[in-house]
Amino acid sequence: MMKFSLALLVSILFFTSCKKENEILSPITVNDYYPLEIGKYINYNLDSTLFVTFGTVRKVISYLAQDRVSDSITDNLGRKSFRINRYIRNDASMPWVYNTTFLATNTGGTIELVENNLRFVKLAFPLSQDFTWKGNTFINTTSLEPDIRYLDNWDYTYDSVNVPLMLNGVNIDSTLKVMERDDFTGQDPGIPGTLYAEKNYSVEKYGKGIGLIYRDFIHWVYQGKENGNGYYEGYGVTMTITGHN
């Protein structure tokens, strides 16, 4: 009886040891926080910020949005990628209207997203606190296109990892927060005599088993005038999850 108990104890310890080792050898990956499956969708409240009336008035337009993985394709580098279609509507009583398409690629160690012909590295392995990577490394910010120069040399950093969060009634057990940019140049436009100011702010959050659950982005440049009010150029978007499948 004693021999049997000792053998059983050794077996249990061996099994537990193997299980712990397997858990260590199977860390969370970018796929856990950005699953790409045809038919998967996420619904959002989306606020779009524009500067109208010749850049003198800030206007926020609100929509309901849905990002849906529509199909898989082979990208121009020969990799399996997924089309994500965005649909919008003014309220829940109206039908979804197609808005735009993104292209997402899981490289194994990163998630790349092509938006408006710009390729961003949205997530990168390892998914650990304070890990940093160049999220805009594939964007030619030194080109003759001035509208994208503000994207130069952004350091994406995991600001928090594996944090539970509640958003719009959606309970998410584990989230990542990616701090992409937070800088301000010049003088506050509210101060008389300000001739130039620029703000770039971007943060995203991802839910395990879900994908993007929150985005807050703003980019604007203020051009002042010595003899009058200045004007803004730029745009912004805020997205907050409301549901998913």
Side-chain angles (χ1 to χ4, degrees):
M1 185 69 176
M2 179 64 69
K3 290 182 179 180
F4 175 77
S5 298
L6 287 174
L8 180 62
L9 178 60
V10 170
S11 298
I12 292 173
L13 290 174
F14 177 77
F15 176 78
T16 303
S17 175
C18 289
K19 184 178 180 182
K20 288 182 178 179
E21 182 178 356
N22 288 336
E23 288 174 349
I24 293 172
L25 293 176
S26 302
I28 56 174
T29 67
V30 293
N31 185 68
D32 292 312
Y33 287 88
Y34 207 110
L36 291 169
E37 301 172 2
I38 296 174
K40 180 171 180 57
Y41 68 82
I42 308 175
N43 293 334
Y44 303 95
N45 287 332
L46 189 155
D47 294 330
S48 177
T49 299
L50 304 171
F51 296 95
V52 298
T53 315
F54 303 103
T56 61
V57 176
R58 182 184 304 216
K59 183 177 182 179
V60 177
I61 304 175
S62 297
Y63 303 95
L64 302 179
Q66 181 182 97
D67 286 0
R68 178 182 289 270
V69 182
S70 63
D71 62 353
S72 63
I73 65 168
T74 300
D75 72 3
N76 56 8
L77 296 177
R79 307 173 304 179
K80 184 178 181 180
S81 302
F82 291 82
R83 284 197 184 98
I84 301 175
N85 291 338
R86 173 167 296 167
Y87 304 90
I88 61 173
R89 58 187 179 183
N90 291 329
D91 59 64
S93 67
M94 302 180 68
W96 290 112
V97 177
Y98 170 80
N99 178 251
T100 189
T101 295
F102 313 104
L103 189 67
T105 305
N106 184 340
T107 70
T110 64
I111 294 291
E112 296 180 7
L113 187 72
V114 177
E115 179 180 0
N116 296 323
N117 295 318
L118 301 175
R119 183 154 51 116
F120 301 87
V121 182
K122 288 297 185 178
L123 296 177
F125 187 82
L127 280 66
S128 57
Q129 181 70 33
D130 299 325
F131 178 71
T132 297
W133 69 99
K134 297 293 185 183
N136 301 347
T137 188
F138 295 115
I139 300 173
N140 182 11
T141 55
T142 61
S143 69
L144 297 178
E145 178 55 61
D147 290 343
I148 64 173
R149 291 178 186 170
Y150 74 94
L151 294 171
D152 186 55
N153 201 36
W154 283 25
D155 290 315
Y156 289 30
T157 303
Y158 291 127
D159 182 84
S160 62
V161 177
N162 194 28
V163 175
L165 189 65
M166 175 79 76
L167 285 174
N168 279 338
V170 180
N171 187 35
I172 304 158
D173 294 334
S174 177
T175 68
L176 296 174
K177 179 182 177 183
V178 183
M179 196 69 225
E180 299 176 350
R181 194 70 162 180
D182 185 6
D183 65 34
F184 182 84
T185 303
Q187 183 174 265
D188 189 330
I191 299 175
T194 298
L195 297 181
Y196 180 85
E198 180 176 351
K199 180 177 178 63
N200 295 299
Y201 178 83
S202 184
V203 62
E204 295 184 341
K205 297 180 182 181
Y206 296 85
K208 190 174 183 180
I210 302 173
L212 180 70
I213 58 172
Y214 178 79
R215 183 187 186 198
D216 188 11
F217 168 90
I218 188 70
H219 160 69
W220 55 252
V221 173
Y222 176 80
Q223 301 286 354
K225 298 179 181 179
E226 293 184 0
N227 59 349
N229 294 328
Y231 63 93
Y232 291 86
E233 293 177 338
Y235 64 102
V237 61
T238 300
M239 300 171 60
T240 308
I241 188 173
T242 60
H244 66 96
N245 66 350

